[in-house]
């Protein structure tokens, strides 16, 4: 049936196979290069400045300082990297809900700051980062 | 070609698959992948990122690497802090809603990373610090 009536059409039909080859190659290229990149990271941005004055019942702040030689001081007491959390927890036992302010000198290493930041936020301690002016200690 | 159509393969023609629907599907897939593909420019330097457990999943479109000797790498080139604004503006033109990720080495100085972060915040770019899964 088809053969007889559409004989002329058959002759005129475009051969799609080469185009299909190209389209497939393009498809494979885009599939391979599509990096659904989803990297992991932490958000260390400071909170947006608010116009409201700090509330009266604000809790004490635990000061964690990291100096240019990566020495860590929790409320002026020198501590080890691994013991920052326990030191902070000790202060928090006295004044619950107090936040941690990490004050870093510019030369402190990134790894230590991230580690402390991570430890704090993993344990639900509110933490913020501040750069020190570098004139202290 | 002409031989095939006329006489020899009369039987073949009857079994020939209709490829049009498949072609439609393939084209739609192709367009999907073209549209969604974001070509990310890697910093091009090995960075020993710090571990973290509280990390979140993000899909950044801009990667800024800071190596252990505080060199700033973007798209396989080292830049100075003062050049960085222009470079980021260029990247933003390609992808205006782009989010940035700073890949800082464990040994990099936090000052450099905070400088970059401040710059990105100033430019209204969302920025996070890259970490590795613990």
């Amino acid at each position: 049936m088809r053969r007889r009536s559409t004989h002329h059409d058959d002759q005129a039909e475009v051969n799609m196979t080469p185009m299909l080859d190209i389209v497939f190659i393009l498809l494979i290229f885009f599939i391979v290069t599509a990096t659904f990149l989803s990297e992991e990271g932490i958000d260390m941005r400071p909170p947006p400045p608010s116009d409201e004055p700090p509330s009266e019942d604000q809790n004490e702040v635990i000061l964690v300082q990291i100096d240019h030689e990566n020495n860590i001081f929790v409320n002026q007491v020198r501590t080890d990297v691994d013991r920052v959390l326990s030191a902070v927890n000790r202060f928090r036992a006295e004044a619950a809900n107090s936040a941690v302010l990490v004050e870093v000198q510019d030369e402190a290493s990134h790894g230590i700051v991230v580690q402390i930041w991570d430890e704090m936020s993993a344990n639900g301690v509110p933490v913020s980062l501040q750069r020190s002016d570098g004139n202290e200690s | 070609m002409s031989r095939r159509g006329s006489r020899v393969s009369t039987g073949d023609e009857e079994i020939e698959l209709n490829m049009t629907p498949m072609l439609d599907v393939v084209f739609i897939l192709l367009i999907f992948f073209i549209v969604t593909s974001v070509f990310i420019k890697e910093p091009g330097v090995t960075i020993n990122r710090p571990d973290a457990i509280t990390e979140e999943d993000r899909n950044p479109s801009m990667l800024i690497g800071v190596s252990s000797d505080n060199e700033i790498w973007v798209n396989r080139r080292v830049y100075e802090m003062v050049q960085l604004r222009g470079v980021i503006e260029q990247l933003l033109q390609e992808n205006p809603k782009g989010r940035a990720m700073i890949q800082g080495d464990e040994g990099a100085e936090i000052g450099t990373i905070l400088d970059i972060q401040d710059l990105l915040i100033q430019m209204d770019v969302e920025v996070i610090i890259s970490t590795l899964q613990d």
Side-chain angles (χ1 to χ4, degrees):
Chain A
M1 160 193 94
R2 182 169 174 250
R3 197 181 160 254
R4 200 159 305 141
S5 57
T6 61
H7 190 79
H8 290 290
D9 280 353
D10 260 352
Q11 293 299 104
E13 200 172 79
V14 179
N15 186 3
M16 290 217 264
T17 325
M19 185 186 70
L20 204 57
D21 289 349
I22 292 170
V23 167
F24 264 119
I25 286 173
L26 279 176
L27 183 64
I28 290 165
F29 169 76
F30 278 104
I31 290 177
V32 169
T33 56
T35 39
F36 290 104
L37 190 85
S38 106
E39 298 241 349
E40 271 124 13
I42 52 171
D43 192 345
M44 294 213 307
R45 283 176 299 176
S50 64
D51 299 331
E52 294 170 30
S55 52
E56 291 296 313
D57 55 309
Q58 192 139 43
N59 288 298
E60 245 181 284
V61 167
I62 301 165
L63 188 65
V64 178
Q65 289 167 303
I66 307 169
D67 76 359
H68 58 283
E69 281 168 327
N70 294 324
N71 299 318
I72 300 164
F73 302 88
V74 178
N75 278 354
Q76 322 293 341
V77 183
R78 194 172 162 178
T79 322
D80 213 66
V81 191
D82 308 312
R83 266 174 282 174
V84 173
L85 184 64
S86 54
V88 165
N89 276 338
R90 205 157 34 207
F91 284 111
R92 272 170 68 87
E94 291 160 24
N97 301 324
S98 46
V100 167
L101 179 65
V102 182
E103 197 179 78
V104 291
Q105 287 196 348
D106 280 357
E107 293 81 15
S109 78
H110 176 58
I112 288 185
V113 179
V114 169
Q115 192 188 334
I116 290 173
W117 177 285
D118 185 53
E119 260 178 19
M120 295 304 135
S121 45
N123 288 282
V125 184
V127 54
S128 57
L129 192 65
Q130 193 184 47
R131 304 169 79 158
S132 89
D133 303 329
N135 305 325
E136 305 145 50
S137 73
Chain B
M1 188 66 66
S2 55
R3 228 188 319 150
R4 187 172 175 263
S6 55
R7 203 167 299 138
V8 189
S9 56
T10 319
D12 279 351
E13 252 182 327
E14 294 300 297
I15 334 168
E16 200 173 79
L17 287 175
N18 186 4
M19 292 218 260
T20 324
M22 185 185 73
L23 205 58
D24 290 349
V25 172
V26 167
F27 262 119
I28 285 174
L29 279 176
L30 182 65
I31 289 165
F32 170 76
F33 278 105
I34 290 176
V35 170
T36 57
S37 67
V38 190
F39 293 99
I40 292 191
K41 300 183 172 82
E42 297 274 338
V45 63
T46 12
I47 287 164
N48 192 9
R49 286 174 285 164
D51 293 333
I53 25 176
T54 54
E55 67 224 339
E56 320 156 29
D57 268 3
R58 294 296 179 89
N59 31 4
S61 61
M62 214 187 284
L63 295 178
I64 300 163
V66 182
S67 71
S68 51
D69 23 340
N70 292 313
E71 290 169 328
I72 302 165
W73 288 74
V74 181
N75 194 13
R76 289 166 215 286
R77 283 185 61 187
V78 185
Y79 291 97
E80 292 295 320
M81 197 61 216
V82 283
Q83 300 172 288
L84 199 60
R85 178 179 273 269
V87 175
I88 293 165
E89 267 166 9
Q90 223 167 36
L91 288 174
L92 276 181
Q93 263 171 10
E94 287 170 32
N95 194 349
K97 282 186 291 179
R99 280 190 285 204
M101 177 175 262
I102 304 173
Q103 296 186 325
D105 195 278
E106 277 183 324
E109 283 178 11
I110 191 74
T112 315
I113 285 149
L114 290 178
D115 280 340
I116 300 172
Q117 183 178 265
D118 288 346
L119 175 68
L120 286 162
I121 292 171
Q122 238 179 59
M123 298 174 72
D124 267 334
V125 184
E126 224 180 289
V127 55
I128 53 169
I129 310 287
S130 171
T131 55
L132 285 181
Q133 206 137 30
D134 216 356

